[in-house]
Amino acid sequence: MKKNNFIVLVLVCALFLNACNTKQKPTNNDVPSTEKKDSWDKAYNSATKERFIPVELFTGVKWDGKHVLTLKEAATSATSCDPITGKRCTTYTITGPFKTAVNNTKIEWAGNEISYYRRTYSTSRGGDVESFFTINNSKDGLVRIYDKRKKWGARPYDGLGSKFPLGNWKQGEVRVYPSRRPTRIEIIELDGPNHSLTFRWTIGEGTGRNSDNIYTFTPDKGFTNFSYYNDDSDSKNGKPLK
C-alpha cells in the first residue's frame, strides 16, 4: 500500500514540474507593442531607399499600410503656426471625399467625375479659403483643382500640377510638373522624426508671395509645420499661409 502511494506521489510531482517548465509559445498578441512595426515604419524600403507616401499623410487619417492611393473618408483638422514667432496659428480642416458633377480638368484617369477633398482655413488677413484637392493625372501627387478666397474669388485649375507628393519618392528627389506655371517639388526630409515628411514646393520662378514654401506633414495629424524658403520674405511681414 505504501509503495502504491509513493508511486502516485512521484507521478503527481512529475506532472507538476512538467507544467511549470512548459513555456507557452508566443503569439502576435504577446509581442510587446514596442517591437511591432506599424504601417509607417514599413513605408520606407531600405533596399530601394524609397518611401511610399500615402494620401493619408496629407489628410491625417489612419493608414492601413497598403501601398495604394485612395481617397478615404476624412474629417480631420491640423494646426500650423508661424515658424518664426510661433503665433498666428492656422487650423486646416479636410473633409470628403466629394465628387464633382463634371470633369473640367485634364485629369484623364478620373472619368466624368472627380473625387476630391475639401480643405478650408481662415486667416485674419486673407479671410476664408476653400480648396479642392485630388490625385493628379500622373498619380504621384495631390493637386488643387479649385480655390476660392477673398483676393482672387473662385478659380478652377486644370489638375496638371502637384501640391503634395504621393507614391514612391527618394530623399532629395525633384520632380517638375508642366502646369500653367510649372510646379516643382523637392524632398527635403523623406522620413524625419515620427515619420514626418518635409518637402519644398515652388511654383513658377518662386519669386511671388507664397510661391516657394517648405511644408511638413506628420502621420495621424496632417499639416504640422510651414516655413518660407526665403526666411526674410512673407513670414516676417505677417502675410497669411497658402
Side-chain angles (χ1 to χ4, degrees):
M1 188 69 177
K2 292 183 178 179
K3 182 177 182 180
N4 291 338
N5 290 340
F6 178 77
I7 292 174
V8 171
L9 181 60
V10 170
L11 289 174
V12 170
C13 290
L15 291 172
F16 178 79
L17 290 173
N18 183 64
C20 291
N21 292 329
T22 300
K23 293 182 178 180
Q24 184 180 0
K25 291 183 179 180
T27 63
N28 290 336
N29 293 331
D30 295 325
V31 178
S33 59
T34 55
E35 295 180 10
K36 288 183 179 180
K37 278 195 171 184
D38 64 20
S39 300
W40 298 104
D41 290 327
K42 294 180 285 188
Y44 182 75
N45 187 327
S46 58
T48 61
K49 300 188 183 305
E50 291 179 324
R51 176 184 180 177
F52 180 82
I53 304 171
V55 177
E56 288 84 345
L57 186 57
F58 176 81
T59 61
V61 171
K62 294 290 183 181
W63 182 43
D64 60 11
K66 295 180 180 179
H67 288 204
V68 292
L69 300 177
T70 57
L71 274 63
K72 296 180 180 178
E73 185 175 348
T76 59
S77 295
T79 301
S80 179
C81 302
D82 183 274
I84 296 176
T85 65
K87 300 179 180 179
R88 295 200 313 275
C89 298
T90 303
T91 298
Y92 298 80
T93 299
I94 295 176
T95 53
F98 306 101
K99 280 191 176 182
T100 62
V102 295
N103 183 354
N104 290 325
T105 72
K106 295 183 180 180
I107 301 176
E108 299 172 353
W109 65 263
N112 296 326
E113 300 175 330
I114 300 178
S115 295
Y116 67 89
Y117 287 118
R118 177 176 179 262
R119 188 186 75 172
T120 59
Y121 67 93
S122 181
T123 64
S124 58
R125 184 185 181 94
D128 296 335
V129 179
E130 177 185 35
S131 302
F132 297 167
F133 291 89
T134 191
I135 299 173
N136 63 6
N137 198 51
S138 53
K139 293 186 176 181
D140 65 348
L142 284 170
V143 64
R144 184 163 36 200
I145 58 172
Y146 172 84
D147 187 87
K148 182 180 180 181
R149 62 185 69 199
K150 180 173 67 175
K151 181 179 180 180
W152 302 321
R155 301 191 304 179
Y157 293 85
D158 59 17
L160 295 182
S162 185
K163 185 70 175 180
F164 179 88
L166 291 178
N168 291 313
W169 287 71
K170 294 185 176 182
Q171 175 64 39
E173 185 173 359
V174 176
R175 298 183 193 179
V176 178
Y177 300 86
S179 52
R180 184 176 61 86
R181 288 193 297 163
T183 304
R184 180 180 183 271
I185 288 182
E186 176 186 0
I187 302 299
I188 303 298
E189 190 170 26
L190 186 63
D191 192 23
N194 298 317
H195 300 299
S196 293
L197 168 73
T198 300
F199 64 94
R200 178 184 176 189
W201 176 84
T202 309
I203 186 168
E205 298 296 323
T207 55
R209 179 167 64 88
N210 277 316
S211 61
D212 195 352
N213 306 329
I214 294 177
Y215 301 107
T216 296
F217 286 76
T218 303
D220 303 327
K221 294 182 180 180
F223 184 24
T224 54
N225 196 27
F226 168 92
S227 64
Y228 295 96
Y229 184 71
N230 296 311
D231 289 337
D232 59 347
S233 59
D234 297 335
S235 183
K236 292 181 180 180
N237 296 324
K239 298 179 180 178
L241 308 184
K242 181 177 180 180

